[in-house]
Amino acid sequence: MSKGKILVTGGTGYIGSHTAVELINSGYDVVIIDDLSNSSADVVDGIERITGVRPAFVEGSCANPHVVAKLFAEHPGINAIINFAASKAVGESVKKPLLYYRNNLNILINLLEQMAPNGVKGIVFSSSCTVYGEPDINPVTEQSPIKKATSPYGNTKQIAEEIITDAIASGEPIKSVILRYFNPIGSHPSAEIGELPNGVPQNLIPYLTQTAIGLREKLSIFGNDYNTPDGTCIRDYIDIIDLARAHVKAVERLLDPSTPQIEIFNIGTGNGLSVKQLVDTFEEATGVKVPHVYADRRQGDIEQVWADPALANNVLGWKAETPLAETLKNAWRWQLRLRERGIM
Ligand code: UD1
């Protein structure tokens, strides 16, 4: 018997697709909506190959309230939403701030407004460690200060958290779990789904794996003069499957009437790792060399940030489990699969 029907917005994207798999494997019915602006409908086939179940798929944008209304009408009985649908490129958001505010905030508001009338109990929101800015103290807890956002993208995450908080404080009869992700990396071990950025990758791992396979000449490590042990930036890299499982836990809490109406959790490993350490670990884990050079610092980068995941460990009952070497091997397996398929 199904444990519930979950709407996954942005469900053909990187985190959304992995979460759809974990939800289905945990006994939930999944409805995906995605406007395919940064993903492909083929991802639904990948989810089906892994799980043996084909989730319902709707092509459309939740930034349009009529699309959301039609979705709820055609898929009655949705118990909870996981909202991944959003524009997410930090650099692009600086160039096109209005697009980011309009898209990311309209999607959230449309969903929030239509939840209660359609009997939807709760929403999981994808927030980010970006809300902590450059922290004074690491690791950061959920109580660490929220710093002024360094990009419109980051600001949409801060504003979204406030919108949800205000809506619930006003008496909106819904619940929310806000997850602040650190740096998600890796792929499903089957290599049926993974991260597929459009054009030149902005994030570290896709650039690294594309360099390892020879699509890019070399990886630029942005800055080696930071105040860190080896001079490169430090992040908390979280395995995509572990991250996806955090969403299943969050849905369980939303559907449990005894939990608070709103909760916020850091989703990270608790280990800070430098860019250089990450490159070294990739080379050791895969036996593949990654040509790299040190380049100038990237504008807007934070020197170091990693999570204190104690609250998620103790309250959500979730813990990062996958060893980093395994995660990096999965990322590499996915890059090799893309080549086999002639996609890249
Ligand atoms: C950023 C955002 C995060 C967002 C994520 C998604 C901030 C502080 N963080 O993470 O909220 O969810 O993007 O896009 O805005 N690096 C290189 N060479 C490269 C690429 C990256 O050295 O070619 C380094 C970066 O300098 C950084 C680390 O690798 O130190 C990770 O970078 P990246 O993968 O882009 O993620 P963040 O910038 O940490």
Side-chain angles (χ1 to χ4, degrees):
M1 209 192 74
S2 167
K3 285 199 207 161
K5 195 190 275 191
I6 313 299
L7 173 63
V8 182
T9 76
T12 52
Y14 175 43
I15 309 178
S17 58
H18 289 81
T19 299
V21 165
E22 296 307 314
L23 285 168
I24 293 168
N25 285 344
S26 303
Y28 291 94
D29 287 332
V30 170
V31 178
I32 289 174
I33 181 163
D34 202 300
D35 67 358
L36 304 180
S37 59
N38 195 25
S39 61
S40 142
D42 297 346
V43 173
V44 180
D45 301 333
I47 295 169
E48 183 178 10
R49 281 196 295 272
I50 296 170
T51 62
V53 176
R54 191 168 185 84
F57 173 67
V58 176
E59 183 180 344
S61 169
C62 296
N64 179 341
H66 304 296
V67 169
V68 177
K70 187 158 175 273
L71 175 81
F72 282 126
E74 286 173 2
H75 296 273
I78 288 171
N79 301 102
I81 300 172
I82 308 183
N83 181 30
F84 295 106
S87 306
K88 64 164 188 178
V90 177
E92 185 188 44
S93 79
V94 177
K95 296 193 183 94
K96 301 178 184 168
L98 299 182
L99 179 106
Y100 272 67
Y101 288 116
R102 179 160 48 77
N103 197 40
N104 292 3
L105 300 180
N106 278 345
I107 289 170
L108 177 65
I109 293 166
N110 291 336
L111 293 170
L112 290 173
E113 279 183 338
Q114 297 190 42
M115 285 172 66
N118 288 289
V120 183
K121 293 199 165 49
I123 183 164
V124 182
F125 180 72
S126 308
S127 189
S128 165
C129 69
T130 193
V131 302
Y132 300 116
E134 182 79 65
D136 301 319
I137 301 168
N138 274 300
V140 290
T141 74
E142 292 78 359
Q143 306 308 320
S144 295
I146 302 295
K147 297 279 182 69
K148 186 175 163 37
T150 52
S151 70
Y153 160 79
N155 208 20
T156 66
K157 294 296 179 193
Q158 293 192 4
I159 297 170
E161 288 196 4
E162 289 172 351
I163 290 174
I164 294 169
T165 307
D166 290 347
I168 288 177
S170 77
E172 197 66 30
I174 55 171
K175 289 170 71 172
S176 184
V177 172
I178 293 171
L179 301 180
R180 292 181 180 152
Y181 316 149
F182 285 67
N183 286 56
I185 60 168
S187 301
H188 194 272
S190 67
E192 292 288 359
I193 55 175
E195 188 173 11
L196 192 52
N198 280 337
V200 181
Q202 305 296 312
N203 294 114
L204 178 59
I205 289 299
Y207 205 104
L208 185 156
T209 56
Q210 288 191 15
T211 306
I213 209 163
L215 284 168
R216 316 248 160 230
E217 199 186 334
K218 50 189 176 246
L219 170 74
S220 292
I221 296 181
F222 298 137
N224 63 344
D225 57 352
Y226 284 101
N227 185 24
T228 60
D230 64 19
T232 66
C233 290
I234 295 178
R235 295 287 183 276
D236 185 334
Y237 294 95
I238 171 77
D239 182 83
I240 188 72
I241 304 292
D242 287 341
L243 175 61
R245 287 184 181 144
H247 293 80
V248 178
K249 293 282 189 184
V251 164
E252 283 169 9
R253 272 186 94 72
L254 288 177
L255 300 183
D256 172 354
S258 71
T259 65
Q261 225 183 334
I262 182 160
E263 294 181 292
I264 301 181
F265 298 104
N266 282 342
I267 302 296
T269 65
N271 300 318
L273 203 80
S274 78
V275 178
K276 180 71 172 80
Q277 285 176 308
L278 193 82
V279 173
D280 290 347
T281 311
F282 179 90
E283 290 185 337
E284 278 162 31
T286 62
V288 181
K289 287 284 169 210
V290 183
H292 57 274
V293 290
Y294 290 109
D296 289 345
R297 291 181 177 198
R298 181 172 69 176
Q299 210 195 345
D301 261 344
I302 279 155
E303 181 173 274
Q304 41 190 320
V305 60
W306 69 94
D308 178 344
L311 197 67
N313 298 166
N314 299 330
V315 176
L316 195 58
W318 170 89
K319 205 173 181 322
E321 283 168 1
T322 312
L324 180 66
E326 204 51 49
T327 302
L328 293 171
K329 276 194 237 172
N330 289 336
W332 179 233
R333 208 171 282 144
W334 168 244
Q335 188 69 59
L336 291 171
R337 181 65 58 86
L338 288 175
R339 165 158 293 176
E340 273 168 34
R341 288 206 205 134
I343 296 172
M344 237 183 230

